[in-house]
């Protein structure tokens, strides 16, 4: 398909916090959706304006948040990456921003995978990445028996790729792409009571591998909290990280 997303229609492919902006835009935050299409940070693809608390707080600092519509089962497949590339390009054009503006990727759960994998697959250089309860191993997610639909969703996202299911799932997982990730600052919220995306097969292995390969990653742990159960107090260091990126 010929290029379609542009500054004239980009609001059909994302929502922003434009109405909350104060001062000139000094940074872009690209927020990736979770498994149902919405975000644990408050982004929602059903609304054309991003009114989440996170988006409002960012806007007050002159930070434009861009909540991308890449679909509820996207897992950062190639077309999702291309779509985000085009959204960022159109946002830069629409707001007349410098090409080298600081871009931070954020997200939770599937959105955490998206935020991490875009640093590897995306066209734009990312300056920092902040995630919560990220999916880190698509193969481990798919073979886990608790939620059968995860397996179907991963197959749907990558069925056109050559290789075995295990090979393709791992090739598109943050845990197996640590060596390709840029050496930028990372921040991760870990909810150690997570029974949806268990830390033992996702957050903890990723953290260990990133530290082993010399990545700069900060973490905070929500003791006893379930999947993406964020308190306002817990999000404060997350927000501070984004401010300082």
């Amino acid at each position: 398909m010929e290029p379609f997303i542009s500054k004239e229609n980009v609001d059909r492919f994302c929502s922003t916090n434009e109405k909350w902006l104060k001062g000139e835009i000094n940074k872009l935050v690209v927020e990736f959706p979770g498994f149902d299409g919405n975000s644990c940070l408050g982004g929602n693809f059903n609304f054309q304006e991003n009114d989440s608390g996170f988006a409002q707080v960012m806007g007050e600092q002159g930070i434009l948040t861009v909540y991308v519509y890449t679909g509820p089962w996207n897992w950062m497949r190639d077309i999702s990456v291309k779509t985000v590339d085009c959204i960022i390009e159109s946002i830069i054009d629409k707001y007349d921003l410098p090409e080298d503006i600081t871009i931070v990727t954020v997200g939770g759960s599937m959105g955490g995978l998206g935020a991490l994998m875009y640093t590897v697959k995306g066209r734009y250089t990312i300056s920092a990445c902040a995630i919560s309860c990220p999916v880190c191993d698509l193969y481990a997610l798919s073979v886990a028996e608790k939620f059968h639909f995860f397996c179907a969703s991963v197959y749907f996202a990558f069925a056109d790729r050559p290789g075995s299911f295990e090979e393709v799932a791992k090739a598109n997982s943050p845990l197996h792409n640590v060596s390709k990730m840029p050496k930028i600052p990372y921040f991760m919220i870990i909810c150690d009571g997570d029974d949806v995306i268990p830390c033992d097969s996702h957050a903890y292995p990723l953290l260990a591998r990133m530290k082993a390969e010399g990545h700069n990653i900060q973490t905070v742990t929500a003791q006893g909290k379930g999947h993406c159960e964020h308190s306002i107090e817990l999000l404060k260091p997350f927000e501070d990280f984004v401010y300082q990126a």
Side-chain angles (χ1 to χ4, degrees), residues 66-189:
V66 182
Y67 184 71
V68 295
Y69 302 161
T70 49
W73 283 16
N74 74 81
W75 296 121
M76 227 56 260
R77 57 187 175 181
D78 290 348
I79 189 60
S80 299
V81 177
K82 180 179 179 180
T83 299
V84 176
D85 286 342
C86 292
I87 290 171
I88 295 175
E89 179 181 22
S90 299
I91 287 290
I92 288 174
D93 191 19
K94 178 178 179 178
Y95 293 94
D96 194 25
L97 302 175
E99 285 287 334
D100 61 350
I101 191 169
T102 296
I103 303 175
V104 180
T105 56
V106 304
S109 194
M110 184 181 77
L113 178 143
L116 288 165
M117 289 305 297
Y118 190 80
T119 72
V120 175
K121 292 179 163 186
R123 185 204 317 167
Y124 286 87
T125 299
I126 303 304
S127 298
C129 176
I131 53 180
S132 175
C133 302
V135 174
C136 302
D137 187 336
L138 285 174
Y139 185 69
L141 183 76
S142 299
V143 298
E145 296 182 358
K146 186 169 184 178
F147 300 103
H148 67 281
F149 44 76
F150 283 141
C151 184
S153 71
V154 174
Y155 178 82
F156 178 82
F158 301 109
D160 63 331
R161 308 304 297 164
S164 69
F165 180 85
E166 179 176 358
E167 290 169 340
V168 174
K170 289 182 176 179
N172 289 279
S173 298
L175 182 62
H176 302 284
N177 280 276
V178 171
S179 62
K180 298 178 182 178
M181 291 179 186
K183 293 295 180 67
I184 58 176
Y186 296 85
F187 184 94
M188 178 164 59
I189 297 175

Side-chain angles (χ1 to χ4, degrees), residues 133 190-195 199 204 221-226:
C133 302
I190 299 171
C191 294
D192 67 3
D194 193 339
D195 63 352
C199 297
Y204 293 154
T221 299
Q223 301 288 344
K225 293 294 185 180

